[in-house]
Amino acid sequence: MRTKLKLFLPGEQTRVIFIAAFIGVMAGLAIIAFRESVDLVHEVVFVGGYELLRIDEGGWRKLLLPLLPMVGAVALIPLSLAFPGKVNGYGLTAFLRRVNLENGVIRGRNIFIKIAATALTIGSGNSAGVEGPIAQIGGAVGSQVGQRFRVSGKRMKVFIAAGSAGGIAGIFNAPLAGIFFAAEIVLLGTYEISSFAALVIASALATVVSRAYYGEIPAFPIPDFEIVNYFVEIPLYALMAVVVGVLAVVHIRFFYYVRDKFQATPIHPQVKPIIGAFMIGCIGIFFPQVMGDGYEYIESTLAGHGIVWIMLALVFLKSIATAITLGSGGAGGVFAPALFIGAVIGGAFGGVVHYFFPEYTASSGAYATVGIGAFLAASTHAPLTAIFLLFEMTGNNMVIVPVMLTAVLGTMIASRFYHDSIDTVDFTRQGIDIHEGREVAIMKSIRVGKAITEDVDFISENANINHLLQLFRFAQNSFYFPVVNHKGLMVGVVSMQDVKNILHDAEQRVCYLVGAICTRDVIMLTPDDNLYDAMQLFDVKGIDEIPVVERLEEPWVLGMLKRQEVIAAYNREMLNRGITEKAESIRMLCSST
């Protein structure tokens, strides 16, 4: 009977699809709440403040402009104090860590924190984007649903990615872009057909909800795109891709340079966003285009109305403004600034080439359109997301060829000069390659000092072989012994393999010294090295023990690292994380209930 009933119950894949559909609908509703919050803050703080201070009258009143973004920064303080570590700065890196390296448990309150913090930052005129936060908001929705259904860590990761896909799809009115954003950036390009189906369902339904509320309006109204002369413009687009790739590297490095400077500055953390907002306002006095998400100026650039020298200036000023906003502690993302910078790079490049080759090239707006996709791809290392985003925004097959060329070539150029995308710099600084997966990341997070055997016998290089044989006789599970000089510094390693040729000659055992037969060219580790690198050495060299010294320059022996101890340390860490994640899941479930 039970077997017959199972035929009518939904299978695992069907349940995933239904859950993904629910996540998509909820992500769509979160998009509406998010956009309305940003618009509300913009109308009250920026537009209302602009009118109240009569800044539009010009003259000395323009100097009051920095007060508007500063209001948003001050309003962040209570939120930042109430939820420390959850409000300030660029949060997508921590989100990716939570999804790919940790348990994927995201608290429900993060949805409201992200909405409020980002609305206060962008709505008041600070330079940041809404797309990164909406991806995190959608991911938090997916995590909450996963927690309610008590799914496994692998399934939780899929639901979070589905929520992120829905968030990006709905905010851009571009379901394909949402799918590939989640696949390339959130899931790091590692996904299965079953997870891909969840991304598709969530992305589609989030777009449906967004369109039902806002209508079928693209993120940017892009004019008709055309290629005037393939033989002239395709090489020009390739040249633009090189420029985009180089500038993407400059943008990424400068972004983290500014953030590091703000972190190192001995000022109270709650004051730093206010200082950053003041700086944004000062730039905005002369170049108001850098304030907010910049969507209005992007539309103007795509329509071909941009002035070349202004667009050239904005390439760098928007990068500076975004780095200051997020580096000082403002909330938001880097997706919209990347679109802005790409548009002005393309617009400036197109304006120049159209001036010299008016009969063979399209207007600057066409190059601005392609520039959006190229710079987005180069800065995030996600070319498929950029390609499909541009295709969905334009609905024009003509744009595919130049966007494919510039997105892929720009990403290759950026990767050649700088390995990291704007989302992976912090991981590399911590010695983690997030694309390698959770297991490798855990191995790299454990230091050699936590796994060494400190009870180690060592022998002087001036001892004879008989002394060494006595050491072998009483050794407990050790086959390698450090050899030290008269100062106590390690000069080599000796093993039974080194002794076997003279083992049966009593005279040689007395005459030969350990220093004469030991291996001098020795691999050494320090306590600060990680277990992943140690395991690589075990495999490459075919050995089971490696000496651990205090410093490579002065190799005082601290102990030996054994292969079995590495495996044991890894298992302990996995068990500890499993217990921690289970406890966190139970605590989150109980607190939400």
Side-chain angles (χ1 to χ4, degrees), residues 245-261 319 323 375 379 414 416-422 425 429:
V246 173
L247 290 177
V249 172
V250 173
H251 173 64
I252 295 169
R253 296 180 72 95
F254 183 76
F255 179 85
Y256 283 95
Y257 171 81
V258 171
R259 193 195 68 173
D260 293 343
K261 288 296 182 183
S319 179
F375 193 84
S379 60
R416 176 68 178 82
F417 288 104
Y418 196 56
H419 174 72
D420 287 302
S421 72
I422 199 165
V425 173
R429 289 181 175 184

Side-chain angles (χ1 to χ4, degrees), residues 277-527:
F278 173 75
M279 297 170 69
I280 298 303
C282 291
I283 298 174
I285 292 173
F286 305 98
F287 292 90
Q289 300 93 333
V290 304
M291 303 187 75
D293 55 22
Y295 275 17
E296 290 184 10
Y297 191 75
I298 292 176
E299 293 179 13
S300 176
T301 304
L302 296 177
H305 300 154
I307 300 172
V308 171
W309 76 266
I310 292 179
M311 289 188 289
L312 285 173
L314 289 174
V315 170
F316 302 99
L317 290 175
K318 186 63 175 179
S319 179
I320 293 170
T322 304
I324 291 173
T325 294
L326 298 179
S328 65
V334 296
F335 215 77
L339 301 179
F340 184 101
I341 296 169
V344 292
I345 290 174
F349 184 90
V352 172
V353 299
H354 188 67
Y355 177 81
F356 288 104
F357 309 105
E359 297 180 359
Y360 303 101
T361 58
S363 67
S364 64
Y367 288 83
T369 302
V370 176
I372 284 179
F375 193 84
L376 177 62
S379 60
T380 61
H381 293 190
L384 289 176
T385 301
I387 291 169
F388 282 100
L389 177 62
L390 260 294
F391 175 71
E392 289 186 287
M393 286 199 306
T394 60
N396 190 331
N397 291 327
M398 297 287 289
V399 78
I400 284 295
V401 173
V403 168
M404 288 174 61
L405 174 67
T406 55
V408 173
L409 185 57
T411 304
M412 291 174 60
I413 295 295
S415 302
R416 176 68 178 82
F417 288 104
Y418 196 56
H419 174 72
D420 287 302
S421 72
I422 199 165
D423 300 318
T424 61
V425 173
D426 281 335
F427 294 109
T428 299
R429 289 181 175 184
Q430 298 165 14
I432 298 172
D433 186 345
I434 192 171
H435 295 279
E436 290 178 330
R438 186 185 186 197
E439 290 73 18
V440 173
I442 290 175
M443 289 284 284
K444 287 186 175 181
S445 69
I446 307 173
R447 300 301 161 191
V448 166
K450 291 186 175 181
I452 62 172
T453 300
E454 296 181 350
D455 185 16
V456 175
D457 294 315
F458 50 85
I459 190 167
S460 170
E461 63 179 342
N462 296 320
N464 62 40
I465 304 304
N466 282 334
H467 291 129
L468 179 61
L469 292 177
Q470 289 295 320
L471 195 62
F472 277 126
R473 180 181 176 185
F474 294 104
Q476 296 289 333
N477 300 322
S478 293
F479 303 97
Y480 302 88
F481 296 96
V483 179
V484 299
N485 61 15
H486 66 285
K487 296 181 179 180
L489 301 178
M490 193 181 77
V491 295
V493 170
V494 66
S495 66
M496 184 62 73
Q497 186 72 19
D498 299 318
V499 187
K500 68 177 184 178
N501 292 330
I502 56 174
L503 190 61
H504 303 291
D505 191 322
E507 184 178 345
Q508 286 186 340
R509 291 202 304 269
V510 175
C511 297
Y512 269 83
L513 299 181
V514 172
I517 67 169
C518 71
T519 302
R520 298 273 178 171
D521 186 15
V522 180
I523 298 171
M524 294 179 286
L525 292 169
T526 68

Side-chain angles (χ1 to χ4, degrees), residues 94-299:
F95 174 74
L96 294 178
R97 173 187 290 276
R98 175 70 72 175
V99 176
N100 292 282
L101 303 182
E102 298 176 3
N103 53 15
V105 174
I106 303 173
R107 305 192 72 169
R109 68 185 187 188
N110 285 6
I111 298 172
F112 306 100
I113 293 171
K114 282 295 176 186
I115 291 175
T118 308
L120 289 171
T121 300
I122 300 175
S124 60
N126 289 282
S127 177
V130 299
E131 296 78 14
I134 195 59
Q136 296 173 62
I137 291 168
V141 170
S143 176
Q144 285 293 301
V145 173
Q147 291 172 53
R148 293 301 182 275
F149 284 93
R150 302 184 183 183
V151 299
S152 64
K154 184 177 180 180
R155 187 69 73 198
M156 176 78 80
K157 185 176 176 180
V158 173
F159 288 164
I160 293 173
S164 296
I168 293 296
I171 205 79
F172 278 116
N173 200 6
L176 290 177
I179 294 168
F180 284 99
F181 174 88
E184 284 189 300
I185 296 178
V186 179
L187 294 179
L188 308 174
T190 58
Y191 53 89
E192 302 170 355
I193 294 298
S194 57
S195 61
F196 195 77
L199 303 186
V200 171
I201 297 297
S203 183
L205 286 179
T207 306
V208 168
V209 173
S210 179
R211 287 180 179 178
Y213 190 84
Y214 292 105
E216 296 187 24
I217 303 173
F220 307 111
I222 297 177
D224 291 336
F225 182 89
E226 62 176 349
I227 297 179
V228 177
N229 188 307
Y230 276 94
F231 295 104
V232 174
E233 293 202 90
I234 292 302
L236 289 175
Y237 279 121
L239 176 61
M240 188 179 81
V242 175
V243 174
V244 164
V246 173
L247 290 177
V249 172
V250 173
H251 173 64
I252 295 169
R253 296 180 72 95
F254 183 76
F255 179 85
Y256 283 95
Y257 171 81
V258 171
R259 193 195 68 173
D260 293 343
K261 288 296 182 183
F262 268 107
Q263 289 180 346
T265 302
I267 301 175
H268 195 282
Q270 304 302 334
V271 178
K272 291 179 182 179
I274 301 174
I275 295 174
F278 173 75
M279 297 170 69
I280 298 303
C282 291
I283 298 174
I285 292 173
F286 305 98
F287 292 90
Q289 300 93 333
V290 304
M291 303 187 75
D293 55 22
Y295 275 17
E296 290 184 10
Y297 191 75
I298 292 176
E299 293 179 13

